[in-house]
Amino acid sequence: MTFKHFAPIGATLALALATPALAQQDSGKVDWTGPYVGGSFGYNWSKGDGGEHLRFDTDGDGNYDNVVTTAAGANAFSPGTCGGSARGATPASGCNGDKDAIGWMGHVGYDRQFGNIVAGIVGEAGKAYVSDSVTEYSTTPASYTMTRRIGWNANLRARLGYTTDGGFMPYITGGLAYAKVKNHFDTTNIANSFTEYDRKEDAWGYTMGGGVEAKVAQNFSIGARYLWTRYNTGDYRVDVGQGSAPATNPFIITPSGGTSINRGDKFDNQSLMATASFRF
């Protein structure tokens, strides 16, 4: 991520810090109690996954904890992995990085103020536009890439903040998260057959983070917030068949006579967004 990704959010935060006193005008102490609606816009990114690997089930027990070996007993995937999508059949061909991108969300919530403490709940839904890939290379040589993208996402969070008389409120937040995850598989192996299952997943998880918000008018607030989110995935798999490959193919000379590929059950994302809300 570079400065250009944070600049719009930083400008919004600077404005929020500079102008909360406007909310008081003629009404005295700022009150956060009440419902609100609004939106957010910012940047989303997934964790660096240079150490991630595809996982294999060769004995058909549903656990992806096996090693695919050649007829000679060697690891068929010894060339290694890359935390992105392959540009060719070998590591020397290079690897494209994951796609981090802008995102937006709409939200609706309610706050209740108790002295200087503000407690509330907020629901959000929107788009993240991020994709996360991992590639494994075999000795054939060939590359095998699994990619997952977030179609849309939502969350339901509790918030707990501390407000000043000037209308400035830092807060912490956390709750339930959901994403519609789309999966895709690519390979340079044209000999074996590959069958995908559960390409679209309903991924549930949790989110946590914090932010700042400031009232710049009696019925309007702006701010910035950061969220770390973990989605629980893992339903997606690719079953490998013999196809036109010889009977000595590493995917076939297994206890189950085939191999299933999976990439793990955790999909972590982060977001930093500028927010704006109209308060009733």
Side-chain angles (χ1 to χ4, degrees):
M1 298 180 67
T2 62
F3 174 77
K4 68 179 182 179
H5 298 132
F6 290 101
I9 300 171
T12 300
L13 179 56
L15 181 61
L17 292 170
T19 59
L22 294 176
Q24 296 184 75
Q25 291 184 352
D26 300 319
S27 57
K29 188 175 180 179
V30 172
D31 185 7
W32 291 87
T33 297
Y36 61 91
V37 297
S40 58
F41 180 83
Y43 199 70
N44 297 270
W45 68 98
S46 54
K47 72 173 184 177
D49 54 5
E52 187 181 6
H53 290 266
L54 297 182
R55 307 188 306 173
F56 305 96
D57 175 13
T58 62
D59 55 15
D61 66 354
N63 297 315
Y64 294 86
D65 54 2
N66 305 127
V67 177
V68 179
T69 60
T70 65
N75 185 350
F77 285 88
S78 57
T81 186
C82 79
S85 57
R87 295 176 182 170
T90 67
S93 301
C95 184
N96 296 313
D98 293 332
K99 180 184 176 183
D100 303 331
I102 62 171
W104 59 267
M105 302 191 85
H107 62 250
V108 58
Y110 182 87
D111 285 328
R112 181 80 175 180
Q113 186 167 338
F114 306 90
N116 290 102
I117 302 300
V118 179
I121 188 168
V122 58
E124 290 186 303
K127 299 278 284 187
Y129 300 105
V130 293
S131 66
D132 177 40
S133 299
V134 62
T135 296
E136 205 84 24
Y137 297 97
S138 70
T139 55
T140 314
S143 64
Y144 306 80
T145 301
M146 282 187 168
T147 300
R148 52 193 177 193
R149 298 179 176 85
I150 294 179
W152 64 275
N153 65 108
N155 63 68
L156 181 64
R157 298 181 280 112
R159 299 202 316 168
L160 183 64
Y162 182 88
T163 183
T164 65
D165 290 345
F168 174 72
M169 182 180 66
Y171 63 87
I172 57 175
T173 185
L176 183 68
Y178 168 84
K180 175 65 75 172
V181 177
K182 300 178 180 179
N183 296 284
H184 184 69
F185 177 75
D186 288 295
T187 181
T188 60
N189 178 342
I190 59 174
N192 291 97
S193 63
F194 299 90
T195 305
E196 297 177 82
Y197 293 90
D198 297 310
R199 291 190 63 182
K200 293 184 179 180
E201 295 184 76
D202 292 311
W204 293 91
Y206 57 91
T207 186
M208 63 183 72
V212 291
E213 193 168 357
K215 276 201 172 184
V216 295
Q218 194 63 34
N219 298 103
F220 191 70
S221 62
I222 61 174
R225 64 113 173 110
Y226 164 83
L227 289 179
W228 177 89
T229 305
R230 167 163 288 178
Y231 300 108
N232 296 311
T233 57
D235 293 337
Y236 176 65
R237 78 177 197 272
V238 175
D239 288 351
V240 188
Q242 183 171 351
S244 61
T248 55
N249 183 268
F251 286 123
I252 305 304
I253 53 170
T254 64
S256 65
T259 300
S260 293
I261 308 174
N262 182 278
R263 64 165 300 176
D265 58 358
K266 301 292 186 294
F267 187 7
D268 295 344
N269 286 266
Q270 300 179 71
S271 66
L272 182 62
M273 294 201 175
T275 65
S277 300
F278 179 82
R279 294 180 168 270
F280 298 94

